[in-house]
Amino acid sequence: MIELIPAIDLIDGKCVRLTLGDYATKTVYNEDPVAMAEEFERLGFRRLHIVDLDGAKSHHIVNGHVLRGITQNTHLCVDFGGGIKSQSDLEEAFTNGASLVTIGSVAVTKPDQFLDWLHTYGADRIILGADVRAGKISINGWQESSGEELIPFLGRYIKEGVKHVLCTDISRDGMLNGPSIPLYKEIMQHYPTLHLIASGGVSSAADILALEEAGIPSVVFGKAYYEGKIDLTQLTSVWD
């Protein structure tokens, strides 16, 4: 069964979504992300993906207090990303209750630092973030292209022990036009034992089923729920 992971993206302490990673397209869906997380837990989800969009843009964690509120008020297994650029950011995320952290930009700009964290905290707590635009890795809240090609980038770190990768196709994110299944299938063909988390473009339960049929282990979704296109009660009953 594919693992279902709802997402909460944060700006100014509120639950928002962007389109194509453009901060100018911000839509606020809930001003109380803790209540939103509690609702996801009530619906039967066990996992939550949180992105600190303020942090990604500011190069340090900004919404750590929201993470703390969610982990103190739910039993969800939370993975947290956005703005983790230093040891103090990493420690802040774990101190505020994150079970896992997603790290992307540092893996590009400071590979030795990323590897140190991977080996210190373990591959079960570190998710490699791979945000992709036109086949190349983007960094710093998707504001910059690194020039790194996706498949070799992943391979370099998988050889070092990475087990979990969160891959977002930026061209699909927030568009509700379906996930980039060929991209995810290509990744799995190269690295069949990888725990790949697909992100971007999910618009319906049918999209999630298609990912499952393609052999993708996990999927993150957000806007489709906030826009009323996915019935979470139906999802949790089918995929529980």
Side-chain angles (χ1 to χ4, degrees):
M1 290 290 185
I2 192 169
E3 181 184 31
L4 304 173
I5 309 174
I8 291 178
D9 292 356
L10 299 169
I11 292 180
D12 297 330
K14 300 173 183 177
C15 180
V16 308
R17 297 299 287 178
L18 308 180
T19 300
L20 301 178
D22 184 354
Y23 283 70
T25 65
K26 177 187 73 175
T27 300
V28 177
Y29 286 103
N30 194 312
E31 295 197 356
D32 187 348
V34 175
M36 188 73 258
E38 290 173 334
E39 177 68 3
F40 285 135
E41 185 174 46
R42 186 189 68 77
L43 288 166
F45 292 96
R46 302 181 184 93
R47 178 86 176 262
L48 180 66
H49 175 63
I50 298 177
V51 180
D52 184 350
L53 291 173
D54 290 319
K57 199 171 185 179
S58 301
H59 296 221
H60 61 86
I61 291 177
V62 174
N63 288 287
H65 62 291
V66 180
L67 168 63
R68 182 172 63 252
I70 289 172
T71 59
Q72 287 180 344
N73 287 280
T74 73
H75 295 94
L76 293 165
C77 174
V78 175
D79 71 79
F80 181 86
I84 299 176
K85 298 293 195 293
S86 66
Q87 182 69 32
S88 61
D89 289 320
L90 188 65
E91 291 172 359
E92 180 179 350
F94 285 136
T95 298
N96 284 326
S99 296
L100 306 94
V101 294
T102 300
I103 299 169
S105 299
V106 168
V108 173
T109 61
K110 299 179 180 178
D112 290 341
Q113 177 72 84
F114 177 81
L115 289 174
D116 180 60
W117 290 346
L118 177 68
H119 298 147
T120 298
Y121 293 92
D124 289 327
R125 301 197 76 188
I126 304 291
I127 301 171
L128 175 61
D131 300 325
V132 184
R133 197 193 306 268
K136 293 184 171 60
I137 301 294
S138 290
I139 60 174
N140 295 328
W142 303 350
Q143 305 302 297
E144 304 170 36
S145 175
S146 70
E148 289 261 15
E149 295 284 347
L150 172 65
I151 298 300
F153 173 77
L154 296 182
R156 188 162 70 248
Y157 285 117
I158 289 169
K159 286 179 181 177
E160 293 286 347
V162 160
K163 297 179 182 178
H164 305 278
V165 168
L166 173 69
C167 183
T168 301
D169 183 342
I170 298 169
S171 70
R172 303 281 181 135
D173 191 73
M175 296 299 290
L176 299 175
N177 58 359
S180 189
I181 292 177
L183 171 67
Y184 302 129
K185 288 177 73 172
E186 180 185 6
I187 293 170
M188 294 304 297
Q189 285 168 1
H190 279 88
Y191 310 114
T193 63
L194 181 67
H195 186 91
L196 177 64
I197 307 165
S199 173
V202 170
S203 65
S204 65
D207 285 338
I208 294 175
L209 180 59
L211 286 165
E212 182 175 55
E213 290 175 345
I216 310 307
S218 298
V219 58
V220 166
F221 63 93
K223 191 171 185 178
Y225 166 71
Y226 298 120
E227 294 282 342
K229 297 182 180 297
I230 290 181
D231 182 341
L232 293 192
T233 304
Q234 179 187 28
L235 276 188
T236 52
S237 66
V238 172
W239 273 281
D240 188 23

